[in-house]
Amino acid sequence: MMNGDLNTIFTKLLSENDALSDLVTDDLIQFGTYVGGQLDILRECYIAFCQNQESYVYQAFLGAPIEINFHYKEDNVIITRDKQYKITLSLENFLIFMGLIDLVYSKILPLGSVVELDTRLFPDQLREMFSHTPGAKVIITGRKLPVADSIGNYVVDYQAQLWPLGGFPPVTPMTITNMMIGKVVARGYENDYEKSFSQKLKQTQLQEKRLSTSFMTKNEAYTFLKKAEGGD
């Protein structure tokens, strides 16, 4: 899809979202489409949000910086860019907003792709484990797996195995999201059939409006993890 087509889809999904439809402004659309064209901003902003940082600032090569301030006690996020715009969203609505940007603009990697994970959001024990390896690399073995509707309208971006171990016992598959991927080391095999299938996966996710599990609420994430661990 061309970027203009994606911008149209993004604007449509914003206007159809129950939580955001009454909050849609030209400024919100402008900010969202700008971030959609530079997804590194989205990932860095997401990490700052998850780490309870006070703010995230993006300095563009040209123009004024974008400043995003997180007010956890006041339950809001304020996005400003000089005198161009000032946007205020609740924390939950900001999470949904980020999820919609990811849904529309993030591309699907082919099976067999090797990616290096960003360990900043890893628990200390897991980060320590990967510190003894040449990077936290995994190979993608599954894509866009729907989450049970009883939990919410979400999708697991990827299933993966540790690289180069693969399915070697006792290694078990892991689920990863776009927000966890720091770098694509090597893309998997692609041909016209694969590209067509990836496009169908994307179209299905868009039609069903399934956000990535990265953008679950805390309660939804807790339920999802408990079920993944075999709990009730």
Side-chain angles (χ1 to χ4, degrees):
M1 294 182 187
M2 300 295 291
N3 207 52
D5 296 332
L6 294 178
N7 292 345
T8 300
I9 293 170
F10 175 69
T11 302
K12 183 174 184 291
L13 288 178
L14 271 182
S15 64
E16 293 175 348
N17 186 272
D18 291 340
L20 298 176
S21 58
D22 292 338
L23 306 174
V24 177
T25 62
D26 289 343
D27 290 343
L28 188 67
I29 293 170
Q30 179 185 348
F31 174 69
T33 55
Y34 181 83
V35 173
Q38 303 188 63
L39 289 174
D40 284 345
I41 302 175
L42 177 66
R43 192 164 60 84
E44 291 299 321
C45 183
Y46 174 82
I47 290 172
F49 178 79
C50 291
Q51 292 181 330
N52 293 322
Q53 295 180 23
E54 292 184 358
S55 64
Y56 168 71
V57 178
Y58 173 74
Q59 177 59 66
F61 181 70
L62 296 174
I66 297 173
E67 186 169 350
I68 304 171
N69 291 287
F70 306 105
H71 303 284
Y72 300 100
K73 290 184 179 179
E74 294 82 2
D75 186 35
N76 66 40
V77 178
I78 299 177
I79 306 162
T80 56
R81 188 172 196 185
D82 195 24
K83 298 179 181 179
Q84 296 180 38
Y85 52 70
K86 180 178 180 180
I87 302 164
T88 302
L89 295 171
S90 70
L91 294 175
E92 185 171 331
N93 284 345
F94 182 68
L95 194 64
I96 296 169
F97 180 66
M98 288 194 294
L100 288 175
I101 296 173
D102 172 68
L103 166 61
V104 173
Y105 294 97
S106 291
K107 297 180 180 179
I108 300 178
L109 292 169
L111 290 177
S113 295
V114 176
V115 300
E116 185 167 344
L117 304 181
D118 188 325
T119 62
R120 283 177 289 175
L121 294 179
F122 282 17
D124 291 341
Q125 185 177 2
L126 192 57
R127 193 182 303 114
E128 170 64 19
M129 181 186 79
F130 279 115
S131 69
H132 303 295
T133 67
K137 296 182 179 66
V138 298
I139 184 167
I140 291 172
T141 57
R143 303 178 291 178
K144 300 300 177 183
L145 309 174
V147 171
D149 290 337
S150 59
I151 297 175
N153 197 36
Y154 296 99
V155 67
V156 173
D157 288 325
Y158 299 107
Q159 187 176 68
Q161 299 271 12
L162 289 176
W163 182 92
L165 299 178
F168 189 82
V171 179
T172 57
M174 61 193 303
T175 59
I176 64 172
T177 69
N178 291 322
M179 297 299 101
M180 297 170 64
I181 297 174
K183 180 173 66 174
V184 178
V185 179
R187 292 181 66 88
Y189 175 70
E190 295 175 274
N191 60 13
D192 290 342
Y193 181 73
E194 193 285 330
K195 291 176 182 177
S196 175
F197 183 74
S198 292
Q199 187 175 24
K200 288 179 181 177
L201 286 175
K202 188 70 173 180
Q203 288 173 343
T204 299
Q205 187 185 1
L206 286 167
Q207 288 169 0
E208 296 179 354
K209 302 176 184 177
R210 288 184 180 269
L211 302 187
S212 165
T213 51
S214 283
F215 306 99
M216 286 178 162
T217 64
K218 289 183 178 180
N219 288 338
E220 289 168 334
Y222 176 79
T223 302
F224 173 66
L225 291 173
K226 288 291 289 182
K227 285 187 176 293
E229 293 168 358
D232 296 328

